[in-house]
Amino acid sequence: VTLARDGWEILRNRSIDVADPWAFVHGLIGARPEMVEVQPIRPRPDGRSFASTTGFTPLHTDSQDYRGVSPALQIMVCKRAAASGGETRLVDGRALIDAIANRDPQLHTALVTTPRRHRFYFGDVISPTMSDKAGHRRVITHSPLAPADPVGESFAHELSSAPTIELPVATGEILLVDNHRMLHGRNAFLDDQREFVRLLAWIHPRERMSTSESRLAVVLELLTGTPPARLAAREGISEAELYAWRTRALTAAGSALELRE
Ligand SMILES: [Fe+2]
């Protein structure tokens, strides 16, 4: 089972220390990510989103946007598995949409052309169910919340009978999921011990990032905990230059966030 062939992969006997998330992702994929986001996945008494409850989670993609596209890779680091339940469920969304092309061409056309409003906790995403985005091909978007549009309802119906992979991820294992291709969900569990760390990684589709894109990724690493000495050495620049990049990036970000009428 490999990520490129199957859309998912489980890694065992590797470090699950994610204190340095950018280096962790770099080590897994063999390349520098464009952006990394980290979130603990564990039930909380005041939990609202599916990530912070113990309930069944319907199939969906993680579609937080960064520069026009959702994260290419979801990395689920299992700190502690549930005593029972909590298995991950996966469906190959691209394979499902290809299968729909044969038996329901009209629905297939709607899935790849009709923009839908996908409601997420982090905000709405307006997009066809599968489309090309920011240089990435055939990116799936689907919210865990019940759809309110006819195309979404039809797709949810297709998902309910799609071939589903059910994976019990054990403590110490790492599940990699191609988040542009696969939908994921989770079975309910009873105990409150289950704990994952979820890393979302954006991976630049082109061979090389532009100079400004590359510098922005370095600044993001600096801001999210990668030691400056290590970054400066890797980039072949002085720490003074690294801090100048940070200042320029944050000055521009500050301007972009000014209140507008
Ligand atoms: Fe998710």
Side-chain angles (χ1 to χ4, degrees):
V1 175
T2 69
L3 184 65
R5 191 188 69 201
D6 300 312
W8 63 277
E9 182 167 3
I10 286 187
L11 303 177
R12 301 184 176 88
N13 304 317
R14 295 182 68 119
S15 168
I16 59 164
D17 177 1
V18 290
D20 191 340
W22 289 71
F24 184 82
V25 173
H26 192 153
L28 286 180
I29 66 175
R32 279 175 56 201
E34 186 183 14
M35 174 63 134
V36 175
E37 189 182 307
V38 186
Q39 188 185 329
I41 305 287
R42 60 171 179 257
R44 303 174 58 90
D46 56 347
R48 262 181 6 103
S49 70
F50 288 108
S52 52
T53 65
T54 62
F56 174 81
T57 306
L59 290 161
H60 67 282
T61 54
D62 285 354
S63 295
Q64 291 86 326
D65 182 272
Y66 180 64
R67 294 163 61 86
V69 69
S70 55
L73 187 62
Q74 185 200 48
I75 302 160
M76 296 292 287
V77 179
C78 185
K79 295 287 188 180
R80 192 195 296 216
S84 74
E87 300 88 353
T88 296
R89 298 165 64 85
L90 298 173
V91 164
D92 187 336
R94 283 186 197 148
L96 174 61
I97 289 177
D98 289 346
I100 292 170
N102 292 321
R103 62 172 179 267
D104 190 345
Q106 203 176 340
L107 175 59
H108 179 264
T109 300
L111 289 169
V112 298
T113 59
T114 305
R116 296 168 47 204
R117 178 180 294 275
H118 307 267
R119 294 174 302 126
F120 287 95
Y121 286 102
F122 52 79
D124 293 356
V125 175
I126 312 276
S127 164
T129 309
M130 184 172 78
S131 63
D132 296 346
K133 291 171 189 283
H136 295 270
R137 299 256 303 121
R138 287 157 52 91
V139 177
I140 310 273
T141 308
H142 190 68
S143 162
L145 302 175
D149 61 297
V151 177
E153 284 169 2
S154 296
F155 188 60
H157 179 71
E158 291 282 350
L159 278 174
S160 67
S161 58
T164 304
I165 301 149
E166 193 170 279
L167 292 173
V169 182
T171 304
E173 293 182 340
I174 303 168
L175 170 65
L176 308 181
V177 179
D178 179 341
N179 183 56
H180 287 171
R181 167 178 167 184
M182 311 293 285
L183 295 100
H184 63 273
R186 183 195 66 206
N187 289 336
F189 54 100
L190 290 177
D191 58 285
D192 57 5
Q193 300 299 304
R194 184 182 188 271
E195 182 180 353
F196 280 72
V197 177
R198 183 191 70 186
L199 295 97
L200 299 176
W202 283 257
I203 299 162
H204 206 279
R206 290 189 292 279
E207 185 113 316
R208 289 171 61 89
M209 295 186 201
S210 72
T211 302
S212 64
E213 288 165 341
S214 174
R215 289 179 177 179
L216 178 56
V218 172
V219 170
L220 289 168
E221 274 190 73
L222 179 62
L223 293 174
T224 50
T226 304
R230 193 204 301 168
L231 280 176
R234 190 190 73 196
E235 297 300 315
I237 58 173
S238 66
E239 288 193 42
E241 177 73 5
L242 178 64
Y243 280 92
W245 290 2
R246 184 177 76 173
T247 299
R248 282 153 62 192
L250 292 182
T251 301
S255 302
L257 293 173
E258 276 170 10
L259 283 177
R260 295 221 176 98
E261 289 301 310

